[in-house]
Amino acid sequence: MTVDAQHDKNTSGVVLFGPPAAGKDTVSTVLGVLDARYGQLPKIKVGSGRTTGYRMAERAELDALRAAGRLVLETERYGNTYAVDRDDLEAMTGAGRIPLVHMGSVEHLRTFNAALRAPWLCVLLWVPREVCEERSRGRGDRDTADRLAAWEEALADLASVPAGEDLFHLLVRTDRTDPVPTAELVAAAHASGDRDPVRHGDLAALLEGAAPAGL
């Protein structure tokens, strides 16, 4: 199935929000297969570790971008600094592409949304803690404990969202939906142009169903 050219005028992107191992990379890859316009926006990274998918930079370059007002979002995680450059976003949308941005913090999502010039589709990809652990160990992560801590932070973060603040347009349990159907749901939602938020009660129900006993 392809969704090419369903709506050439929609220049917004997609936020894939979720804890580690929820499937953000996998869904992004499948979206690119379904429609070549989709592509993960390379974040700026200052630090060490994995370089694939990032635009590596020195601290001085990041400081200059911040001073120029080009940083849409700047975050700290795993001892590194990550940032989104508005020029990178506009270059993608200007070329007719659909940027994908991965996120895992509600506050970062709020900051990002406030800086956008057009509303993006916000999708929550979720898995229970045990699935996060299984996937992390299965892919050979050496920092699974950190990933689980990030999952717990994400759960608490989402649970603290007040009633009346509807952040997401689509909720998906990726341990119950395979990557291709998940990507098709995301692509169809983006193509429709509708940005009807998911009700707070649906988010709460999802989190309650995914939380382990006692957490």
Side-chain angles (χ1 to χ4, degrees):
M1 171 181 160
T2 177
V3 292
D4 283 337
Q6 283 191 10
H7 66 113
D8 294 333
K9 294 183 179 180
N10 191 342
T11 59
S12 68
V14 178
V15 173
L16 296 179
F17 186 105
K24 297 185 292 292
D25 285 333
T26 301
V27 172
S28 294
T29 298
V30 177
L31 279 167
V33 173
L34 293 175
D35 185 336
R37 292 176 299 168
Y38 283 101
Q40 189 172 339
L41 178 77
K43 290 183 179 178
I44 299 168
K45 180 178 180 179
V46 177
S48 59
R50 191 176 72 169
T51 60
T52 303
Y54 296 104
R55 174 156 70 89
M56 302 303 294
E58 298 296 329
R59 181 67 59 181
E61 180 183 353
L62 188 67
D63 291 343
L65 292 174
R66 188 187 307 109
R70 282 175 47 181
L71 298 186
V72 177
L73 183 68
E74 185 175 353
T75 65
E76 301 281 340
R77 173 70 78 175
Y78 309 123
N80 301 312
T81 301
Y82 303 88
V84 174
D85 183 349
R86 185 183 299 279
D87 283 10
D88 291 340
L89 284 177
E90 294 181 349
M92 284 191 74
T93 57
R97 305 209 50 210
I98 305 171
L100 303 168
V101 172
H102 296 177
M103 215 165 289
S105 160
V106 168
E107 191 56 41
H108 297 162
L109 179 60
R110 291 177 179 131
T111 300
F112 185 76
N113 283 338
L116 295 174
R117 295 187 175 128
W120 282 29
L121 179 73
C122 295
V123 180
L124 172 61
L125 303 179
W126 193 255
V127 291
R129 186 180 189 278
E130 61 270 21
V131 175
C132 175
E133 180 175 13
E134 178 183 345
R135 288 180 177 179
S136 179
R137 296 192 188 283
R139 67 190 187 186
D141 290 341
R142 296 182 179 180
D143 57 353
T144 295
D146 291 339
R147 307 288 169 171
L148 291 174
W151 183 94
E152 291 166 1
E153 290 172 8
L155 177 63
D157 203 18
L158 290 165
S160 71
V161 174
E165 182 181 16
D166 301 317
L167 295 172
F168 301 103
H169 308 106
L170 186 63
L171 311 177
V172 183
R173 277 277 300 266
T174 62
D175 58 316
R176 295 177 177 173
T177 308
D178 289 337
V180 171
T182 298
E184 289 175 346
L185 282 172
V186 173
H190 184 269
S192 73
D194 293 334
R195 297 294 179 265
D196 294 329
V198 172
R199 294 179 303 173
H200 186 272
D202 292 335
L203 173 61
L206 178 83
L207 298 178
E208 289 170 7
L215 188 63

